[in-house]
Amino acid sequence: MPDPNPADSPGGLTDRDRGILSFERRWFTHAGAKEQAIRSEFGLSSARYYQLLGVLIDSPLALAHDPMLVKRLQRMRAARAQARERRTVRAPEHRTSPAP
């Protein structure tokens, strides 16, 4: 069943959007197989779930709905991006002199 139009939902978020935020809020305090729980609860692959979550945490509607959670998720995403950037091996620049 498709999600309703966000404009028709309270707070502008779909039921699935609110479900994802709720899942992230409670998952933070629990350990376990998150990928399996994602598939079980939402019927999504973990890759698709994280795509949706990434879009959702950039949404002003999600920020208004649960500002502390959304800010925490944004900080975690930024920290992961910085860690990836630090791990990236950068080749030194080589200058070649023109042939005489």
Side-chain angles (χ1 to χ4, degrees):
M1 173 179 222
D3 286 335
N5 181 347
D8 297 338
S9 300
L13 296 174
T14 65
D15 288 340
R16 181 176 66 185
D17 292 342
R18 286 188 300 278
I20 289 172
L21 291 172
S22 176
F23 181 82
E24 285 298 317
R25 190 178 317 108
R26 70 179 184 270
W27 192 262
F28 183 68
T29 60
H30 295 38
K34 188 172 184 180
E35 288 76 19
Q36 184 177 6
I38 289 168
R39 185 165 300 281
S40 174
E41 188 157 335
F42 299 103
L44 299 169
S45 69
S46 58
R48 181 64 182 144
Y49 172 86
Y50 287 114
Q51 287 174 338
L52 293 171
L53 179 61
V55 170
L56 185 57
I57 65 175
D58 288 333
S59 162
L61 296 172
L63 183 61
H65 178 75
D66 195 338
M68 290 181 65
L69 172 68
V70 171
K71 288 290 190 179
R72 178 174 54 82
L73 293 172
Q74 289 172 338
R75 282 191 308 272
M76 291 169 59
R77 178 178 62 185
R80 285 191 304 271
Q82 284 180 337
R84 272 193 309 275
E85 197 172 298
R86 284 192 302 269
R87 287 191 309 261
T88 302
V89 177
R90 293 189 177 99
E93 291 185 27
H94 294 287
R95 293 186 178 207
T96 58
S97 55

